[in-house]
Amino acid sequence: MCANGRRVNSGSIMEFLTLFFIYVLSILTCLALVCKYSGKGQFPLEKLFVYLTNVISHLVPERLQTASNQILHRLFHKRNSFFLTLHFLLEAAVYGEFTYEIFGYCQEIGFSLPSLIVPYVLLTVKMYFFSQCCTKDPGTITKLNNEVFLGVYPYDQVMFYQGVLCPTCVLVKPARSKHCRVCNVCVHRFDHHCVWVNNCIGAFNTKYFLLYLMTLSAMAADIAVLTIGLLLHLVLQSNLMSAAYVDEEGHQQPVGLLFFIVQYLFLTFPRIVFMLGFLMFLFLLLLGYSFFHLYLAVTNQTANEWYKRKSHGCQHCNPSPLQQQSHTSLHNFYSRGTFRNL
């Protein structure tokens, strides 16, 4: 390739494409695993994931499959600090790169200091909500508070029935509660068990979880915007508009600007581009998850109830007209209007 009078062998294109393919594949694989094992297996690429898993299972030795299944079960279905540690490591890597390179570059090219401090402010706010999600009791039901929780919500007689006994806790289950198999306790207004905070999300920490998701999304978006601004400035300074490459016959050909910019930045600033790609994937994932939980809050539902409602609404699972009618009446059973729900 040629930029500012310099040529690079066309083999660098293949090197870039190979590295970029591995990079994208690794990120997509990680996201698929997290979605698969922390979201009850319901995500858009479920069929493709199952198909690829079946194909790979024929190539992997049985002992290795057993060991990997045990590891995945331990990570996603048992209480452990692995994802807490991973959370802090990823956050330290992003903020370390931002502080070490991007912060200084941005100051040099004229970014205002307040705009560069915003990510650190968001980090402080996020850490508060994150700590509340991790340490606050989600609403554990015990013999001492069982009677109190029994009077909070009425039973809808579709998903929650009066007088049902939890076989593990040996307690009458209040409406909207569920026994968490990971924590081995019943939780009031149970939403889900989150591996990233190593705690259940229930009545007393749902609001912190939603705010945690929103601030985390804002963090990813803010750092991504600052990084994109920096990279655009570097591109304009590099005179890439005159870029060209030498084909197999030795002729100089103009290069598609977008492709060359991506390759140039990927090979020149690999850490920054890797971080930006990670942040963009993370932001899109978190944004969808944040909107989903905001929708649950506005409609006064929990994730557990939403999944159950999907099951009740399936004509193959519940073909009975009576059950379909029950599903219709159930739709807004606990809703008290948008503002009261919030």
Side-chain angles (χ1 to χ4, degrees):
M1 290 211 166
C2 174
N4 297 329
R6 294 177 299 173
R7 292 186 180 183
V8 181
N9 192 304
S10 59
S12 63
I13 300 178
M14 294 305 299
E15 178 186 357
F16 160 70
L17 290 175
T18 302
L19 289 173
F20 192 74
F21 174 76
I22 294 173
Y23 168 59
V24 173
L25 184 63
S26 62
I27 288 183
L28 290 176
T29 301
C30 292
L31 291 179
L33 284 173
V34 171
C35 291
K36 170 68 178 178
Y37 289 98
S38 64
K40 299 186 178 181
Q42 301 190 27
F43 68 106
L45 300 179
E46 169 72 10
K47 291 184 179 180
L48 178 60
F49 186 87
V50 172
Y51 172 75
L52 292 176
T53 302
N54 292 334
V55 172
I56 296 174
S57 64
H58 296 291
L59 305 176
V60 179
E62 188 174 345
R63 287 186 177 181
L64 184 59
Q65 290 186 48
T66 302
S68 62
N69 288 333
Q70 290 176 347
I71 293 173
L72 290 173
H73 177 75
R74 173 65 183 170
L75 289 178
F76 292 98
H77 300 292
K78 297 289 183 181
R79 283 184 66 89
N80 63 84
S81 59
F82 172 79
F83 283 96
L84 289 176
T85 304
L86 180 61
H87 178 281
F88 288 124
L89 288 177
L90 291 174
E91 204 164 70
V94 169
Y95 270 85
E97 180 63 20
F98 176 78
T99 304
Y100 178 69
E101 288 194 284
I102 298 173
F103 190 93
Y105 280 139
C106 288
Q107 275 192 312
E108 290 178 9
I109 64 178
F111 279 56
S112 65
L113 185 61
S115 67
L116 296 176
I117 294 177
V118 170
Y120 300 100
V121 176
L122 290 172
L123 175 64
T124 303
V125 176
K126 191 272 317 180
M127 285 304 300
Y128 170 74
F129 294 137
F130 179 72
S131 65
Q132 291 297 307
C133 291
C134 295
T135 60
K136 196 172 184 65
D137 176 24
T140 304
I141 299 173
T142 65
K143 292 182 179 179
L144 297 177
N145 60 24
N146 190 26
E147 289 295 329
V148 175
F149 286 136
L150 284 172
V152 176
Y153 294 111
Y155 292 90
D156 56 42
Q157 304 302 328
V158 178
M159 288 189 295
F160 306 106
Y161 295 91
Q162 193 167 7
V164 175
L165 195 71
C166 174
T168 305
C169 300
V170 197
L171 294 171
V172 177
K173 296 176 67 173
R176 311 190 76 181
S177 68
K178 186 179 184 299
H179 184 85
C180 176
R181 291 179 295 177
V182 180
C183 298
N184 199 31
V185 294
C186 282
V187 177
H188 180 54
R189 200 182 181 278
F190 177 86
D191 191 273
H192 71 289
H193 181 90
C194 180
V195 295
W196 292 100
V197 301
N198 196 28
N199 196 10
C200 287
I201 304 302
F204 299 151
N205 62 356
T206 295
K207 59 183 178 183
Y208 297 113
F209 183 73
L210 178 58
L211 293 170
Y212 160 67
L213 289 177
M214 295 174 70
T215 51
L216 194 60
S217 301
M219 280 170 49
D222 189 41
I223 297 179
V225 168
L226 291 172
T227 304
I228 291 173
L230 169 64
L231 293 178
L232 287 176
H233 179 81
L234 295 174
V235 167
L236 294 176
Q237 278 191 330
S238 301
N239 194 26
L240 295 181
M241 303 298 293
S242 60
Y245 76 96
V246 178
D247 60 21
E248 296 178 354
E249 298 178 356
H251 300 129
Q252 185 170 308
Q253 302 289 345
V255 176
L257 183 61
L258 180 60
F259 174 81
F260 183 64
I261 288 175
V262 173
Q263 178 182 349
Y264 171 79
L265 293 175
F266 193 87
L267 297 177
T268 309
F269 307 100
R271 291 196 305 271
I272 294 179
V273 175
F274 266 69
M275 184 194 74
L276 178 60
F278 170 74
L279 287 174
M280 292 179 69
F281 276 112
L282 182 66
F283 171 70
L284 292 175
L285 184 68
L286 287 172
L287 187 66
Y289 203 46
S290 298
F291 275 120
F292 172 65
H293 275 273
L294 184 60
Y295 161 76
L296 294 179
V298 168
T299 56
N300 200 353
Q301 299 181 74
T302 65
N304 176 56
E305 292 165 1
W306 185 79
Y307 284 121
K308 283 186 175 181
R309 184 168 289 114
K310 287 182 64 177
S311 174
H312 277 279
C314 177
Q315 61 179 353
H316 300 290
C317 300
N318 296 303
S320 167
L322 178 61
Q323 288 174 318
Q324 292 297 312
Q325 184 179 359
S326 298
H327 166 68
T328 303
S329 63
L330 171 68
H331 185 68
N332 287 315
F333 186 85
Y334 292 109
S335 178
R336 298 295 179 265
T338 300
F339 292 105
R340 291 185 64 187
N341 288 342
L342 288 173

